[in-house]
Each structure stands twice: as C-alpha cells, then as structure tokens.
Amino acid sequence: MVKSPVVTGISPKEGPPGTRVTIRGEFLGNKATDLIGLTICGCDCLLSAEWKSDKKIIARTGAAKGKGDIIVTTRGGGTGMCTVQFRAYYETIGPMKESAVWIEESPMQSLAWGRRSLAPTGYTQEDPLGLSNEGNEKKFPEDLRDLFPDGSGDLSQENFTPGWFLLENHHATSFEDLKAGLSYLRRRVESQKEGQLSFLKSNAGSVIDQLDTLMTLRDRITQDNKVHGKEPVRQLDVTIRGSIDASHELFKDVLVRKEKADATRAALSAMSRHKFLFCLPNTVEKAAAKNEFDIVVNDYARVKNLFGKTEVPIFRKVLEEVDIKILAIRQQLHGKIREMPQGVEQQKKMIKALISLEAQQAGTSVAGKLKIDDPAWDAIEARAKHLEETFLKAYEQYSGKESHGSESKSRTDPAVTPVRVQFCEEMTEIAASQFPDLWRLGQAHFNGELRGASPPKPGNFKRIILTAIEQFCSYLRSALLATSSAHRSLVAAVSAVKGLPAWPSSSPSLNFLITWLPHCLRYVRVSYATLIRLDLPNEALDIVLKFIDELRLYCMSTILKKANERVKKLHEKEQWELSVTEFAGATSLPAKLQEILVEAIDDAQLACLTPEVREGPLLEPQSDGQRELSKRFQEILTSFCTVIETLALQRSDEDPQQAPMLSQLIGFPAALLQQQMSTGDKREWANPAITWEQRLLCCLSNCIYCNRIFFPKLGSLFTRHSFPVPTLAIENSRSTINGLFASLLEMYVEHKSDPLVGTIEPSMYLGRFQWDQVGPSEKLSPYAHECLDNLVSVYSEIFAISPSLLRPILEPIVQTVAEELARLMTCVQKFNVNGALQATVDINVIRDAVRVYSNETAKSFFVEALDAIPSVPESEQRTLETVKTIKNNIRLQIMCLQVVDP
C-alpha cells in the first residue's frame, strides 16, 4: 500500500511571493506524473513545481500571506501532511523591481507624496518625521510580523501601521523628539497641499492648449460623419469584396477548360500504359474458381495501389467491375469458412485471404454491400456451433439407444459395454479432437494472425469456450451422475434451462456403477489432460475439474453405498460365535463389518481418491468429499446398528414370548425345566438355534463392545490411508448404539423382571399364609428362598455370556424386587411377633445377598420395607443371630451374588 506524502523540511522558511523553495520529505511520488497537487500557505503552486525525487520537490510560492502548511498530494498516496510551515510576506515592490507574481498597484504609490512618487528615487523615502536615526541602528529585538500580522511599516502600502514604523525606526527615540516629529509632519502635509495648487497656476498655458486640441478633434469627427456617414468602414469592405468576385469570374472558364484537357491527356496515357487493368475482372474470376485466392489477393492489391485513387472515369468503371467480382469472391470465401467440418489450417488460409480482400476493398463504392466485421470471429462461431451440434447429436443418439432397451442387455451381459459408457467414450473423443482446433483458431485470431478491421472480442470468445466446456460436462453429468434423486433433479433443472433432452431416468445398479464408473473417470481425465496442454485459462479448466471431482465423489459414494448394502445383509451371516477376545460376549459381527470397510476404502483409494494432474485431495477438511464420506460412513454404521437390532428382535416360533415364572412353590411345571435342560441348554454357541435371551445378551455385548472399543478403533482405517477421520460420524454412531443398548437392555430387564417379581406375592401367600399367624422359626421363608434362587438363575445366564452385563441388568431387577417387597410389606395389615421377626429376617437376608447390585433406590425400598414391619422389643440380637445363621446356610447363593462384575 502506498503511504501518504509527508513534508519534513522547506528551505527557505519565509519569503515574498515567487520565492524559490526546496521541499524535502518522504513518499513524494515515484515519478513526476505522480505529483498531482501542491499548496503552500493555501496557494496552489503545482504549475511551478518541479519533481526531483521521492524526497525532493522544487517550486515557487504564490501570492499568499502569513504562515501556512506545505501540502503535497500524490496519485497513489493521496493528500499528505507536513511537520513544518512557510511564512509568506509582501515586500515593497516598485516599478523597476522584478517580481515573480503580479502585484496590484497601491493608490499610495502614486498619490502618497504627489508627483514626486513617480521618480525611481521616490521609493526610498526620507524620514517623514524629520528625525535622526541616531541610536536606532540596532534592529528591534522582536519580529514585528508577529506583533502586526496584517500590517506593514512601509509608507507606500495600504496596510501601513504607524506602530510598526515607530518600532522599526524610532524604538530608541524619546517621547519629546517624537512630539517634535509629529509637528514637522503636520507642517509638511500643509505645504504639499499648497504646492499642488501653485503647480496648476504656473502651467495654465499648457492646460489651455490641451483643451483646444480636444475641441478640434471633435469638430473633424463630426464633419466626416456628415460626408461619409456614421459607418465609413463598411462601405470600404463592400468595395473590396466586389473586386475579389470580379477577378474570380474573369478567369473561371479558362481554368475549367485547362483542367478538362489535362484530365483527358492523363486518361489516354494511363490506358496505353496499363492494358492489364481491363483483363483483371476475368483474371480474378478464373483464379477464384481454382481456389487460388493468393493470386486474387496479389492482383487486386496491385490494382488498388496503382489505380485506387484515380479520377479517370474509364479506370473507375473498370475498378467498379473488379470490385463487383471481388465482392462475389468475398461472399464465396465467407460461406466456405463457415462450412464444417474442415481442417483448421485450410480455414485459417481462407480467413487471411478474406481479411486482405476486405481491407483492400474498404472505401470503394461496393464496400457497403457486404459488411463482414470479423471473418475470423464468424469462423470461430461456426466451429463452436459445429462442436455444440456434435455434442447434441451424440447425446440424442446414445440416450435414444438406452430408451429403446439397449441398456438392459449390457446389464445382463458383462462383456457388453453399457450405453452410458459408450457415450462417455464418444464425448471425450469429440472433446479431445475438436476442442483444440477451436482453441487454436481463437488464439490465432487474438494474437493478430487473423485479426481483421474490427477489434477482437475476448469476452465473447471466453464465453464460447466456457459454454462448450460446460456443455461437455453437462452432457456427461446427465448420463453418469443422474442416478440419485439429488443429482437427477439438478440435471433435469439444468437440461430444462439449456433446452437439452433429459437422459432416460432408469438408474444403473450399484454393480454397474462400481464396475464402469472408474473406467469413465479415466476417459474424462484423458480429455482433461488434453485441455491442460492447450494452456486454457484456469476458469475453463476449473469447470472440468469440478466435474471430475463430482465424478470422483460419486464413485466414492457408490462404493460406500455398495458396502452399506453388504452391511445390511450381515444378519443373514451371523453364526453367534463368541470369538472376540477383547470383550466377552461379543460375536464376530463387528469383525465382518471391519472387513467390508477395509475392502471399500481400498477400492475407493484405488478408483477415485488418488489425485492426478491438477487435482486436489478429495477429502480435504470441510469439503464436500469429507462430508460425503462422513455421511456414507455414518449410514454404514447406522445400518450395522440396525442389523444388531434386527438380530435382537428376531424370534422364532419356538422362542417364548415371555420368560417363564420359575416357581416350584406354586407348582410351575418341573417337566418344562427338564425339557429345557434336555433340549435348549445343550445347544452349542455356533448353533443358530440358541435361545432368544442368549442372542439378546450377545447383542447387548456387541453394543457395549462397539461403543467402547470397536467404533473408536475404526478411525485407524482412515489414518492408514492419510484420510481425515470421520469423528462426527463415529460419535453419532456411538450415540445410536448407546440408544440401542438402552432399548435392548430395557427389553431384557422387563423380560426377566416381570416374571420374577410376579412369583413373589403368590409364593408369599401360598397355602393361605397370614403374617399374624406365623409360628417360631429360624429359617428363611420359602418365597425369599425362591426369590434368591431366581436372581441367581438370571445371574448365571448373564455371567455365562458376558460378565460385563451383570450390573446393568441386575441393578434394575434388584430395584424392582425391592420395590415389590416394600409394596407387599406395606400392604400387610397385621403382624404377630413371630411374623414381624420372620419378615425382618427375610428382608435383611435378601438385602444383604443383593447388596452389590443395589442402587440407592433399591436400598431406599429395602428400608421402606423394614419400616413397614413393626419392631419387636429386645429382638435385635435374636434377629442378627438368625440372619447370620440363615446366611451361612445359603452361602452358595450369596457367594454367587457377591461376585463383582469385571
């Protein structure tokens, strides 16, 4: 950025108008034309300024007065500033003193002291006070211009200030002497008034002579007006003009006859010397018929040089006939340069001949009958139109083939090239063969080789190039990318605007896209490399580059879509093999997902993610490629979560819709247990007929494994290829898998807890049991035994699959059991002493047994149940001993429930 000019010094720092000053500073312009303004004390001094360097300017001051700034204005830096000031003042200027500016004459200079002021010595005035300057030789110590900024000590100036004069000339004079000087000045003024009157008296004769001369002059003018009128000069002008017209009329006929004779002799001489002129019309016509346009141009140029400005009628008539022949040849050439197809060199040759003939025929009588502003531009437009028509013809041909069913055959027969791929090959071949000719023709036009009388149109040619490339990309985009709904709507909108027929809407299969899209991408890249070698502008190349990036992105998206389709079918291949050593209970399902992802990323890397010439990385941060990768990757992980959910919810007819209530007390059939032991419990893990509860536990284990280990580990697949890790997709998928885990966990807990809790009340009141009729006992109640056994059964089922699920599942089940016990104890209307002791022992034993899996809510329910039981005086010690004894008897169950999950 150019800095503003700064003035830091001026020499001299004061002076009258016209003083030559040297201005120094910084950023005063790089050349003389940069200086566009200079003011000194508010006066424009640009006309006298002389730029020396960026730090020095020489100028002359103007008619300014007082102190002021020196402001320099440059073209690039604008109006500047200054750190110094210049003081301008006026000095006494007489008739014999040079001055650089015009000084208005003051009335005081002519009238201050009468006629004596006209003498040169009148400006060196004697002291008007008549005092001696003895003792006043020293200059007054202060600058009087500061004391009197608008005054002056010069008697001849209009702004004369007496104070200035006295301080300058009589600052050491006494007051008495000044009073005497004032009296002297008064006497002198009175004497001057008397001197003027005496002058007129002494020169009365001369004054009278001057008056007589003026009277005589007036009488002579009056007499002439009477004789010649009031305007004698006008009559003299009319007489002179009449003489001029008469002289012209006298010699007019002679001059005309002479000119005609000279013209006739010149025409006869020319006809004898240039007989070939009369044969020229036939000569150029025969040469044009043979396409020998060089001969036509040379002969016509020779005739124009020799006879182009002739005034001989016969020559003009022959030239007009030749011009008519040349006009017909120009029309013929103009039609031929627009005929397509043809070679670009032949087209350039005819354009040069047409430009030459047009330039030579300019100014003739037939020039206006055929006006070709720019034949080269017409050739460019014809070639561009031919390229556009070729594109459209190929598009209509191949889109018609697909609409008639040719595509279905290529899908069934892999050896047949699909119609879309054939169209891509044809379009790239057209672009690689015809577009370079259009570009070279345009370059020859703009570098002057084919330039005519009209100036070139770079903007229009740029539009033609961009339009051709856009059409090339639009046709390919319509055929190759219009498969998704988003691309299809976009291409349909573009086709409607440009008037293009829409490609048939049948969508290729994913197998077709994965097989042939990389092939199409290679063809487009070959055409792109051809355009790069032509040295096209970046704006044109960026259009193709954008399409290539879209094709690469679409290819990557297609590969990931195919991977997503494979992921959706993983539930068909689940064998329920617990092969994951990192997490107990997880199956091989995540490993199969990883295999699909690795294969998909490797295919994408090979097909489209490796950039070539002038291509950038497709997966740059915040790019469409990264967003598409993240979107498709998240779809894959979401599909995987859906597979887990499908496996978890999938039940066979043999699977019970609700867990059986395992109650030996109320007679739930032991035969069913034996049947389950003889059939279901002996099934191997690799057998797909394992129970639905076991499959649900495996799905829960897969959810935890994916959330904690597998999903975060997937980022390494992208890091290995130096791709950006789709962190957002991974985190969203972790959130999805967490939601699925919560849903499946709730389902399993409900499936297990409802039957378990449902057996407590029937078992408690079996055989019309009443709490107010309980006898002495030191054993655990049957319902409490059964409740603990059922909890141990659930524990064993979970522990066999995945110990990590113990706490998430048992905590809500224990909470439900505690809530049911609190409800039952609260609903008891009456306890006897033994009943209260038995209930207290039961609740304490159950609470101590499940303490590891009791949350705060469950603990509060146990406390509520104990509070509902009436207290028995002096029974605390007995209760503790009974609880200890019972816990020792059922220590195996308690030991199972005391194992903490890993």
Side-chain angles (χ1 to χ4, degrees):
M1 181 177 179
V2 181
K3 296 184 178 179
S4 299
V6 180
V7 176
T8 58
I10 185 170
S11 176
K13 294 185 177 180
E14 61 180 8
T19 302
R20 189 173 187 269
V21 295
T22 301
I23 302 170
R24 298 187 182 276
E26 296 180 348
F27 315 115
L28 303 182
N30 296 324
K31 53 186 177 180
T33 55
D34 289 346
L35 183 63
I36 61 175
L38 173 63
T39 58
I40 301 177
C41 298
C43 183
D44 188 1
C45 302
L46 180 62
L47 293 178
S48 64
E50 181 181 357
W51 184 86
K52 294 295 184 181
S53 67
D54 61 340
K55 297 182 179 180
K56 180 180 178 181
I57 296 174
I58 297 177
R60 288 188 179 273
T61 60
K65 183 172 66 173
K67 281 188 176 181
D69 294 334
I70 303 95
I71 303 300
V72 177
T73 304
T74 61
R75 194 177 304 277
T79 303
M81 56 179 293
C82 70
T83 59
V84 296
Q85 288 186 323
F86 181 80
R87 182 185 212 98
Y89 60 86
Y90 284 103
E91 63 180 0
T92 303
I93 303 297
M96 304 301 293
K97 186 175 179 65
E98 292 184 358
S99 175
V101 296
W102 176 261
I103 303 297
E104 294 292 340
E105 185 177 3
S106 173
M108 291 292 294
Q109 291 178 326
S110 59
L111 301 176
W113 302 104
R115 298 183 64 83
R116 287 177 296 175
S117 62
L118 297 176
T121 59
Y123 290 98
T124 305
Q125 299 287 344
E126 63 184 19
D127 191 3
L129 300 179
L131 299 176
S132 173
N133 59 354
E134 184 178 358
N136 296 291
E137 294 84 357
K138 295 183 179 180
K139 189 177 181 181
F140 191 72
E142 297 184 11
D143 192 347
L144 296 177
R145 285 187 287 269
D146 294 335
L147 298 176
F148 307 97
D150 297 327
S152 174
D154 191 351
L155 293 173
S156 62
Q157 300 296 325
E158 292 182 356
N159 59 346
F160 171 74
T161 303
W164 186 322
F165 177 81
L166 292 176
L167 289 175
E168 185 178 16
N169 299 287
H170 297 288
H171 59 273
T173 305
S174 64
F175 183 69
E176 295 298 330
D177 291 342
L178 291 176
K179 289 170 65 178
L182 179 60
S183 300
Y184 170 78
L185 180 60
R186 286 175 179 172
R187 291 193 302 270
R188 188 169 180 179
V189 171
E190 293 297 331
S191 65
Q192 283 187 354
K193 292 180 180 179
E194 295 176 359
Q196 293 176 2
L197 183 58
S198 62
F199 173 78
L200 292 175
K201 290 179 180 180
S202 62
N203 295 283
S206 298
V207 173
I208 293 173
D209 291 339
Q210 294 172 3
L211 290 175
D212 291 341
T213 303
L214 291 174
M215 293 296 294
T216 303
L217 181 61
R218 188 192 66 177
D219 294 340
R220 291 292 301 272
I221 292 175
T222 303
Q223 183 179 0
D224 289 343
N225 288 339
K226 292 180 180 179
V227 176
H228 302 288
K230 294 184 178 181
E231 297 181 358
V233 178
R234 177 177 295 179
Q235 294 181 0
L236 180 61
D237 180 66
V238 172
T239 303
I240 294 173
R241 292 183 181 276
S243 300
I244 295 174
D245 293 339
S247 64
H248 287 175
E249 187 67 25
L250 180 63
F251 294 99
K252 180 178 181 181
D253 294 337
V254 177
L255 294 176
V256 170
R257 289 193 298 271
K258 181 179 181 300
E259 290 177 356
K260 288 183 178 181
D262 293 341
T264 302
R265 285 192 296 270
L268 294 174
S269 176
M271 290 177 63
S272 64
R273 291 196 307 268
H274 303 289
K275 295 180 181 180
F276 79 97
L277 175 63
F278 300 99
C279 300
L280 187 60
N282 292 331
T283 303
V284 295
E285 188 175 7
K286 292 178 180 180
K290 298 178 182 179
N291 289 332
E292 297 176 348
F293 297 106
D294 294 339
I295 297 176
V296 176
V297 172
N298 293 333
D299 289 348
Y300 187 65
R302 181 182 176 189
V303 168
K304 293 296 291 184
N305 291 332
L306 295 176
F307 302 99
K309 298 180 180 180
T310 183
E311 298 295 335
V312 179
I314 188 63
F315 288 177
R316 300 301 306 171
K317 183 177 181 180
V318 176
L319 285 177
E320 289 176 0
E321 185 179 354
V322 174
D323 288 336
I324 293 174
K325 297 292 185 181
I326 295 298
L327 182 63
I329 294 173
R330 287 173 54 201
Q331 292 175 341
Q332 179 184 356
L333 279 173
H334 190 245
K336 285 189 174 182
I337 63 174
R338 292 180 296 176
E339 292 178 358
M340 298 299 296
Q342 64 174 316
V344 67
E345 294 301 325
Q346 178 67 18
Q347 198 174 20
K348 288 166 64 176
K349 181 179 178 181
M350 290 188 292
I351 292 172
K352 291 177 181 179
L354 181 57
I355 292 174
S356 179
L357 291 176
E358 184 177 6
Q360 295 172 14
Q361 203 170 27
T364 62
S365 59
V366 298
K369 296 182 179 180
L370 178 62
K371 185 173 180 58
I372 304 174
D373 293 336
D374 195 344
W377 181 252
D378 294 340
I380 292 173
E381 288 184 333
R383 189 167 286 277
K385 183 178 180 181
H386 174 68
L387 179 61
E388 178 181 351
E389 292 174 351
T390 306
F391 283 156
L392 180 60
K393 182 179 179 181
Y395 184 83
E396 293 175 345
Q397 175 186 354
Y398 286 96
S399 62
K401 284 184 178 180
E402 182 160 329
S403 63
H404 287 87
S406 299
E407 185 69 20
S408 58
K409 182 179 180 181
S410 62
R411 294 182 187 178
T412 57
D413 188 359
V416 178
T417 304
V419 174
R420 296 173 188 261
V421 180
Q422 296 177 17
F423 172 70
C424 177
E425 295 175 356
E426 179 70 16
M427 289 291 291
T428 53
E429 178 64 25
I430 293 172
S433 61
Q434 295 190 22
F435 192 86
D437 291 341
L438 174 62
W439 176 254
R440 284 194 291 268
L441 186 61
Q443 291 302 301
H445 175 49
F446 287 103
N447 61 23
E449 182 181 354
L450 303 177
R451 184 173 300 176
S454 301
K457 306 173 183 177
N460 294 341
F461 182 67
K462 179 181 179 181
R463 175 182 53 80
I464 288 177
I465 294 297
L466 296 180
T467 301
I469 294 180
E470 286 176 354
Q471 288 178 346
F472 168 71
C473 296
S474 297
Y475 285 126
L476 290 178
R477 186 180 286 109
S478 176
L480 300 179
L481 299 184
T483 55
S484 66
S485 58
H487 279 96
R488 189 180 300 115
S489 60
L490 176 61
V491 172
V494 174
S495 300
V497 172
K498 298 185 177 182
L500 303 179
W503 191 276
S505 59
S506 59
S507 299
S509 64
L510 288 176
N511 291 330
F512 160 79
L513 293 174
I514 293 177
T515 304
W516 292 102
L517 270 182
H519 176 79
C520 297
L521 179 60
R522 284 194 297 272
Y523 269 86
V524 176
R525 279 173 165 170
V526 170
S527 298
Y528 184 51
T530 303
L531 299 180
I532 292 176
R533 287 193 294 270
L534 295 177
D535 197 20
L536 291 175
N538 291 333
E539 185 176 357
L541 294 175
D542 289 343
I543 297 175
V544 186
L545 180 60
K546 180 182 178 182
F547 171 67
I548 291 177
D549 289 341
E550 291 178 2
L551 193 57
R552 293 170 62 196
L553 181 62
Y554 188 60
C555 186
M556 179 193 71
S557 177
T558 303
I559 293 174
L560 295 179
K561 284 181 180 179
K562 180 64 176 178
N564 189 23
E565 294 297 325
R566 294 176 59 190
V567 170
K568 290 180 181 179
K569 299 178 181 180
L570 282 178
H571 66 279
E572 302 174 358
K573 301 179 181 180
E574 177 61 86
Q575 299 296 323
W576 305 104
E577 298 176 357
L578 305 182
S579 59
V580 179
T581 59
E582 299 172 281
F583 193 86
T587 66
S588 60
L589 193 65
K592 296 177 181 178
L593 170 64
Q594 183 173 353
E595 293 177 1
I596 295 175
L597 288 176
V598 170
E599 183 179 349
I601 294 175
D602 290 341
D603 292 343
Q605 171 73 11
L606 181 63
C608 57
L609 294 182
T610 302
E612 294 190 2
V613 181
R614 207 178 172 271
E615 297 178 3
L618 190 62
L619 302 179
E620 290 183 343
Q622 304 300 324
S623 64
D624 293 339
Q626 184 182 11
R627 286 190 287 269
E628 181 70 15
L629 175 64
S630 179
K631 176 183 176 181
R632 297 305 174 191
F633 184 66
Q634 184 168 343
E635 289 178 356
I636 292 175
L637 296 184
T638 302
S639 299
F640 181 72
C641 295
T642 305
V643 168
I644 295 178
E645 183 178 8
T646 302
L647 291 172
L649 300 179
Q650 188 176 12
R651 299 189 186 184
S652 63
D653 296 336
E654 299 177 356
D655 292 325
Q657 299 300 315
Q658 187 174 5
M661 294 184 296
L662 303 178
S663 176
Q664 299 293 333
L665 299 176
I666 61 176
F668 190 75
L672 179 61
L673 295 178
Q674 294 178 356
Q675 180 181 359
Q676 292 177 351
M677 293 296 295
S678 63
T679 59
D681 293 347
K682 294 182 180 180
R683 289 173 290 194
E684 299 294 333
W685 285 113
N687 191 338
I690 62 176
T691 64
W692 173 75
E693 291 89 348
Q694 292 171 338
R695 296 198 299 270
L696 186 58
L697 288 174
C698 290
C699 291
L700 288 170
S701 300
N702 283 335
C703 290
I704 298 178
Y705 171 64
C706 290
N707 179 46
R708 296 180 182 178
I709 302 174
F710 181 67
F711 281 177
K713 189 174 63 176
L714 290 179
S716 61
L717 300 180
F718 299 90
T719 307
R720 184 179 63 185
H721 293 282
S722 301
F723 295 160
V725 179
T727 307
L728 181 61
I730 293 176
E731 293 302 322
N732 291 339
S733 300
R734 292 182 66 185
S735 176
T736 303
I737 203 73
N738 280 337
L740 177 61
F741 174 78
S743 176
L744 297 180
L745 178 65
E746 182 181 359
M747 179 187 302
Y748 184 84
V749 169
E750 182 179 356
H751 181 76
K752 288 295 184 181
S753 62
D754 288 351
L756 190 149
V757 173
T759 62
I760 296 178
E761 184 174 5
S763 299
M764 179 182 293
Y765 292 102
L766 185 66
R768 298 182 180 180
F769 173 81
Q770 297 294 330
W771 287 101
D772 57 350
Q773 299 177 2
V774 178
S777 176
E778 294 183 355
K779 297 181 180 180
L780 190 65
S781 297
Y783 79 90
H785 263 295
E786 186 178 57
C787 180
L788 290 177
D789 291 342
N790 289 339
L791 288 174
V792 171
S793 174
V794 174
Y795 176 94
S796 63
E797 183 180 35
I798 299 171
F799 188 83
I801 301 296
S802 177
S804 299
L805 296 174
L806 287 173
R807 184 173 297 279
I809 296 176
L810 287 179
E811 277 191 1
I813 293 178
V814 169
Q815 177 179 329
T816 305
V817 170
E819 182 179 6
E820 178 67 11
L821 291 175
R823 184 186 69 81
L824 293 175
M825 293 298 106
T826 305
C827 293
V828 176
Q829 297 181 356
K830 184 178 179 181
F831 287 92
N832 61 8
V833 174
N834 292 328
L837 292 175
Q838 184 64 45
T840 302
V841 169
D842 293 342
I843 299 300
N844 278 290
V845 170
I846 295 175
R847 181 184 66 178
D848 293 344
V850 297
R851 186 182 302 275
V852 175
Y853 300 102
S854 298
N855 53 26
E856 295 299 326
T857 304
K859 292 178 182 179
S860 65
F861 281 131
F862 282 124
V863 173
E864 182 180 349
L866 292 174
D867 292 341
I869 302 172
S871 60
V872 179
E874 299 179 358
S875 63
E876 182 177 357
Q877 184 64 32
R878 178 183 173 185
T879 301
L880 293 175
E881 292 177 356
T882 304
V883 168
K884 183 177 181 180
T885 301
I886 293 175
K887 289 170 66 176
N888 184 54
N889 294 334
I890 61 171
R891 59 183 178 274
L892 292 178
Q893 292 92 328
I894 294 178
M895 286 176 62
C896 291
L897 295 175
Q898 296 302 315
V899 176
V900 182
D901 57 293

